[in-house]
Amino acid sequence: ENRAWLLEQVNDNAVVAVVSFVAIYAAIVALSVPGAAVLTIAGGFLFGTAFGALYAVIGATLGAIGIFLFVKAGLGDALRARAGSTVDRLRTGFHEDALGYLLFLRLLPVFPFFVVNLAAAVLGVPLRTFAFATVIGIIPGSLVYSSIGNGLGLIIGNEMKADLSAIFAPEIFLPLLGLALLSLAP
């Protein structure tokens, strides 16, 4: 019943729902608050796999650009001094090939998302490179997490029994398999 009500609200207020979701997502990322994966799952639950992933990518990219610009505008020196060895480990990769290295870090989350945002700003990655690599690099993970949310929505909508057997439904199992493959890549 709650799922039906939520989907009805999203349908009846589509623009408000999308703008609110993207704004909340951007704020979470800009403030470096953990929980973006849960929001992406919620996006899949509310908007379906493709649109949930799209809105998550937009929100994450806007939030990442926001914190990136904020750090570049004035916090770079202070963060550089406090970050120490974490930024030093990323420095070589960013200086040799900023786009390739940033794509690698986005596709295979070796470092937390917010650390990459801050390090890229502190180490002088150009905004265009940062934005492009962020958009492209987070698409696969966003699709996987959004697909999990969509699958959960389908299971709830079909009133399947809520037990561990639900994990083996293709709507859940295939995205989880995709997530496992992404995590093995590093």
Side-chain angles (χ1 to χ4, degrees), residues 15-61:
V15 173
V16 172
V18 170
V19 170
S20 298
F21 180 81
V22 169
I24 291 168
Y25 206 117
I28 293 286
V29 171
L31 296 171
S32 301
V33 175
V38 173
L39 274 177
T40 307
I41 291 170
F45 184 86
L46 294 172
F47 305 109
T49 299
F51 286 112
L54 174 66
Y55 303 147
V57 168
I58 292 169
T61 302

